[in-house]
Amino acid sequence: MLSVSALCASYGAIRAVDTLDLEVAPARLVTILGANGAGKSTTLRSIAGLHRPIAGSIRLDGVEIGRLPTHRVVQRGVALVPEGRMVVAPLTVAENLSLSAFAGRGVEGDMLARVYDLFPRLAERRSQVAGLLSGGEQQMLAIGRAMMTRPRLLLLDEPSMGLAPAIVDQVFSAIVALHRDGQSILLVEQNAEITLEICDYAYVMRRGRIVAAGTPESLRAAGAVLEAYLA
Amino acid sequence: AGPARAAALAPGDYKVGFVAEITGPIAFAGKSFLAGAQLAADEISANGWMGKGTHISVLVKDSASDAARAIQDIHQFIADRSVIATTCCILSPVANSVKPIVASAGIPLVIHGATLPGLPAPPWVYSMTVLPGPKDVATAVKMAETTKPKSVTYFLAADNDAFKARLGAARAALEKMGVKTAGVVSVLTADTDFTAPATQAMGEHPDAILIYTTQAPAVGIIAALRQRGYTGTIVGNDVLSPASVFKKLGPAVVGIPFPIGFSSDLATTPEAKAFVAGYKAKFGNDPDIYSAQGYEAIWFIAQGLRAAGGKPTRATLAKTLAAQHEVTHNVYGGEPITGGQIDTAGTTIVAWSADGKLVPWTGAK
Amino acid sequence: MSLFVEQLINGCALGSLYALFAIGFGLVFATLGILNAAHGTYASWAAIAALAAVQRLGLPFPLAVLVGVAAGGALGVAVDQIAFQPLRRRGAGMLGALITSIAAWIVLDNLAGVATGQDSLSFPTDSYPGGMLHVGGIAFSTMQLITIIAMLAATLGMHLLVRHSRFGAAMRAVGWKEQAAAIVGVDPRRVVLATAFLAGAASGLAGVLGGISTANVSYSLGEGLMLKGFAAVVVGGYDDVRGAALAGVALGILEVMSAQYVSTSLRDGITYALLLGFLLLRPRGLFGGTSFVRA
Amino acid sequence: MADFWAAYQSTLGFAMVNAFFALSTYAVLSAGMLSFATVTFAALGGFLGAQLAVHLALPPVLVMPVSALSGALLAYVVALLFLRLDSHWMALASLALVLITRVVALNATALTGGVNGLSVPLSLPLWVLAAILAVICVVFWRLSASWYGIAARAVREDAAVAATLGIPQRRIQTIAFIISGAVGGLGGILLALMLQFLSPETYFIDIAFTMIAAVVLGGSYHWAGAIVGAVVFTALPVLLQAVVPDFEKVANGICLLLIMIFLPRGLIDPRALRLRRARKAPSR
Amino acid sequence: MMSAPMLRLEGVQKSFGGLTAVAALSLEVPAGCVAGLMGPNGAGKTTVINLITGLLRADSGVIALDGAPIQHLPVHAIAARGIARTYQNVRLFAGMTALEQVMAGSYLRRRTSLMASFLALPSARAALRMTRRRALDLLARVGMAARADELAETLSYGEQRRIEIARALGAGPRLLLLDEPTAGMNAQESEAIGRLVHTLRDDGLTVLMVEHNVRLVSDFCDQVTVMSFGRALVHGTPTACMADPEVQEAYFGRKEDAQRIRALR
Ligand SMILES: Nc1ncnc2c1ncn2[C@@H]1O[C@H](COP(=O)(O)OP(=O)(O)OP(=O)(O)O)[C@@H](O)[C@H]1O
Ligand SMILES: Nc1ncnc2c1ncn2[C@@H]1O[C@H](COP(=O)(O)OP(=O)(O)OP(=O)(O)O)[C@@H](O)[C@H]1O
Ligand SMILES: [Mg+2]
Ligand SMILES: [Mg+2]
């Protein structure tokens, strides 16, 4: 479904992602692990069109999307829960969620119910301005908003950040459920243990490069995860 | 009498630095001043009026009515050794800023538009603009004599001292004749909406309305008064004379009297007629009072150059300019110069006719 | 008494021009984050375009207004794309846009001066409904009525669009952070263009109506609206269309009344002193301007 | 060469005077406030100084400190009133102040000479102007390197965070206003000495636009930006008049546009310098 | 080692419109203690920190530092009393390098007058050098010394959090408030922060830490308060708190899930 090859991304002279290859097969849950500054977020931002890569190709179902502007990528079915949430502060929770109609990917009604069901806290606060939500509430909104666009590929950048354990658990249950329903997911998460528990395939990044890849079992066996993290 | 006529002016191109106001708030007038000056330079150069092989030419720098820019322009002219004299300034504050500079640098300056009394200071500074105050009084009095109003309302540009003084003089004259003042409605030079002031003035039910403001407000006031149905007498001032005013106001301005120093429609002297014809040929339209003043400024400088003769310097030119007691090539109709300030003998009171000509005002409606 | 009412209507009509101007100005500030110094030139150019439509093409009044509004909108779009889009693409801040807008203002103002021959033109009296209306001893002009109605309609329409439509939500989202809007599929470019057009069109409407009723079609038309419009935006709360409109009208009335009953030379002094006092007492404008950023 | 100097010395003079206004604006901007009140400080410094020069025949050396002091005092009062307003509300309030200033200047005939203005029978050699500017530059340089500079930058970037670090926002911003007032008042009298004539129009919106444009054009994150910007903004139209006299204004606008598009953070950009330095550092 | 409470909140209340974010909250943090503050999202934890630092004003109640009420002081004065904090949504100064952030944080420890600093007197120069060295030390403490001259906004999220801690330490506080310091860090990195907190405590600092990372709280906090809907639900040792059935319900959700999560860890 998604195939990234030889991706290079940089900030000025700082090379954040270096000739990176990565695949997400349909209905798979793939994760990227790596220490702070490894380049995980940059990779996701590049796929979503928020950061313009300097080289390489990003294909969605064989179609190059690496040069498309963000909204076109989203309209093609890629949704991102970004690092730092990026909720639209001056809009209410409900307005934030309703914006996803611009992705033009289907009716929203039942999905809205599903989001409110997953995060009752959002339903309570639906007419509050998003900028005044607590950190965790904003994170919920960012996840809900991505779900609302009914993506074919969901990119999650540390979705559990700032969430209380009960909600973390719900989010992971939701991820697992979505995955079970056939949703393709690319997940970046610091919590390696949970992640390796639920994913189909994992990449380990270090200083902008993939240093290891494989099924969770093979990675655990190789001890590669630990090594990359301590680096 | 006087000393024997000096030697003929040495051949060459004599340059006059013209600080123009061809952009900015009063560019509509500034362009006329410049056009008049350019015509004068052409005429003087064409027939060698100052002497064989002599030319006069106008160097232009735009100040956009900004005093700081005008000062920089003047400094550049001063630095240019080939510039023998300068002319500038429609606005009095700008003229005031430039004045000390030319005096200390020693270059003659002919002011072509500013009307503040006391600006000229021979031998360096001269003004080619007739002070309008006395003519306003004459117009007001003539209006009162013919239409016999009981009470009048005045419009005043409150942020313009010259107009304040002009209004004061006219009002004193009228009150002496027994004409009551119903009210004074102030406006500001930069205003654009005159509906409210017109409503205010009409609320006082005057028999006549006298306008002492700059051009844009005057035009706006007349338009607003007429639109709101005011049919009484209106008296304007010289700012109504350019053709553009008639073009804009049309019937609304017909029959409104105002005094005037120059009008192409009323040109009688040969110089004036030649000026009108030359202007028309060069620019395709009639000259207005502003072009006449720009024209006079250059002619005045040429007059000084011719009188100086030989190889004049800025200082010798200043000396001969100071010795001039009238403008010889004039389009106003007889202009004495006292203390560097031009003056005029007669006053013509005119009004726009329905077909867009300036005609002498008779008082009849 | 009738004088008072007539002056009230005069103030409303004048204030409606400020309001129309302020709506667009505030819209651009609230959604695109730009203090647009060139906003006034849209009004001047709209009036010039409408006048040309009348004089060259002989269009009737409603069409001429439409031409002016479209010209204002088109200019808004053009200025945005030339002066603001490059900065936006580089992620530069609002101050830079202030300077490019000043640059655009210089250029457009000067070209307007050239277009009008540095003159102040006016619409031929037969090209618009120029009559007076008399209701119970009160006189006001048809143009004043039209201006007030236009202002009310524009305010209502703009308010509904910005506050109660999905596109309005997208506008506010793009204004907050382009990327935040883009990641749910909003095309920021399209929203920006639409916003710039609407703002320019509102300014254009003010320009055409103002150009007709003040008999002044020149580059100074927009400049005259600029300061008052800006004041209205801040008093009314820049992110509230209704507030800006209300403040604009109030400013017009205040101006007319202080000239009528106090003094013209102090008129602007009174207006701005009241404005200053108001700001110091209510630092967040008429409708409070709720904050959406946490402590 | 001498001719060139004579022709453009006044341009240089005005550029330097504008640099004072730009520095005055920079002083408040560097503490996170956009204020046009500099125009008012300049008006007070200018008119007061001019009156002293005319009536008490004080020499410039005495007039200038008085102007600076009066500007600083006024700025202190303005700060007391304005510091409760944030960001663009302060910008508007200060704009209102500028407009009120003009009305006052028009009507306070005793101080300002009203619409007729006021002649200032003093002049200032250019080198003195340059020397004063140099002194002010040293002041700004030292300030930016001092604790005040660090604190002001923190307040500018995030006042709330700065406060939780113990940086007293009000005090820093009051100091900023006072500096702005002193430099603005000084600029006001220097402009009077350059023009040798003052009128209510002298201190008006034009100055506000000049100074803000100069600061942003030059780069609003470094004091030197204000000076560079003032020079460019003043000299550009004059140079363009010499080059393309017919399209001077339009060309001027286009030049400003191009500068901002290609250098959106101004001609002097410390951030770019930092980025470059970080890149060179062999830290990784 | 435990002594009189350094920080004391008593009956603190804060509402936003109809929403009561903090309700009659009482809380004590003894000097030299690492206290944890936990609770579901939206429980009011960040609001409590905002109230302590003065960014928000309590509707009622007392906040006292070393027994003296501080709730009426301006924000910077509260900081000057020795309270520093980090932010849940990282709030670093734009355009400043990592080192400059910490220098700005050291404002309270500048030890020179404006005049001396302005005139660059030798004493001021020496003080500045010292502040610089201290700032570098602090950066080293959070593991960011090598990045001192980089613009903070170009660092990754986790790195920025560390700069925030260093900046707060720059102020030389006695009480440090950390709002989710390890969000976005992995287990090893979180543990490094926990160890850092312990060394800070050993240097005499008191720490109040908002955290969702249960293991971090269990391992490094001396006491814990769990909030829910603006109230303090329980207060005690980490183990006791985690075992509390109410906490289990409010914080970990349905029991089976809580067990599963812990099983996953
Ligand atoms: N805006 C930026 N400008 C310059 N450099 C940046 C920028 N954002 C990130 N970087 C650099 O790029 C590298 C990769 O950053 P990225 O955010 O992708 O890492 P990450 O793996 O997501 O880290 P974390 O786990 O901390 O979120 C880092 O070294 C960082 O310093
Ligand atoms: N300024 C405000 N205006 C309105 N509501 C607010 C404001 N600040 C906070 N809230 C609300 O108060 C509640 C408590 O917020 P707070 O940020 O304290 O929660 P928290 O415990 O820190 O949550 P999290 O763990 O998600 O960060 C939230 O529901 C939030 O929406
Ligand atoms: Mg990341
Ligand atoms: Mg929180």
Side-chain angles (χ1 to χ4, degrees), chain E residues 25-258:
Chain E
L25 180 78
S26 296
L27 177 80
E28 286 191 357
V29 180
C33 162
V34 175
L37 188 57
M38 303 182 81
N41 294 120
K45 306 176 296 293
T46 301
T47 306
V48 168
I49 292 197
N50 285 342
L51 289 169
I52 297 172
T53 50
L55 287 180
L56 290 175
R57 296 282 154 199
D59 299 336
S60 62
V62 178
I63 302 171
L65 187 72
D66 290 329
I70 56 167
Q71 75 268 25
H72 302 302
L73 294 178
V75 181
H76 65 90
I78 293 177
R81 293 281 174 98
I83 299 182
R85 67 171 290 182
T86 65
Y87 293 83
Q88 182 174 3
N89 299 321
V90 178
R91 282 172 83 170
L92 290 169
F93 299 122
M96 289 196 199
T97 63
L99 180 66
E100 286 168 332
Q101 309 270 354
V102 185
M103 299 271 289
S106 310
Y107 179 82
L108 283 170
R109 317 256 327 227
R110 61 195 181 280
R111 289 218 209 100
T112 49
S113 68
L114 176 57
M115 237 336 136
S117 159
F118 176 76
L119 295 175
L121 298 182
S123 66
R125 282 213 300 267
L128 196 68
R129 261 200 309 277
M130 222 188 72
T131 314
R132 224 184 126 79
R133 211 167 34 238
R134 221 184 109 237
L136 280 171
D137 284 348
L138 289 173
L139 282 175
R141 241 176 139 164
V142 297
M144 296 298 297
R147 317 290 290 269
D149 288 325
E150 286 180 43
L151 274 180
E153 67 221 55
T154 67
L155 299 176
S156 83
Y157 219 70
E159 294 165 335
Q160 293 190 13
R161 282 197 179 285
R162 290 170 223 255
I163 308 286
E164 272 223 343
I165 296 176
R167 181 178 70 182
L169 291 175
R174 291 181 300 140
L175 174 63
L176 180 65
L177 310 174
L178 301 173
D179 199 349
E180 303 197 16
T182 69
M185 293 186 189
N186 65 32
Q188 285 79 5
E189 292 163 337
S190 302
E191 205 174 306
I193 296 292
R195 281 196 301 273
L196 172 66
V197 167
H198 265 186
T199 64
L200 291 174
R201 181 192 61 187
D202 298 343
D203 290 352
L205 237 72
T206 309
V207 179
L208 176 65
M209 175 159 75
V210 172
E211 255 306 334
H212 288 302
N213 186 335
V214 177
R215 186 189 290 174
L216 190 78
V217 172
S218 309
D219 292 355
F220 292 97
C221 287
D222 302 322
Q223 66 162 63
V224 174
T225 304
V226 182
M227 287 180 71
S228 177
F229 291 105
R231 308 177 177 278
L233 211 53
V234 284
H235 177 81
T237 62
T239 351
C241 282
M242 305 300 169
D244 188 282
E246 262 190 288
V247 173
Q248 291 281 335
E249 173 71 30
Y251 196 44
F252 295 108
R254 285 154 294 150
K255 256 213 170 109
E256 329 76 271
D257 296 333

Side-chain angles (χ1 to χ4, degrees), chain B residues 24-25 28 186 191 199 227-228 248, chain C residues 10 120 130 139 215 219 264 267:
Chain B
F28 64 92
S186 295
D191 284 354
T199 309
Q227 151 147 67
R228 295 191 74 82
K248 192 168 164 182
Chain C
N10 289 339
S120 159
Y219 73 91
T264 300
R267 181 193 67 202

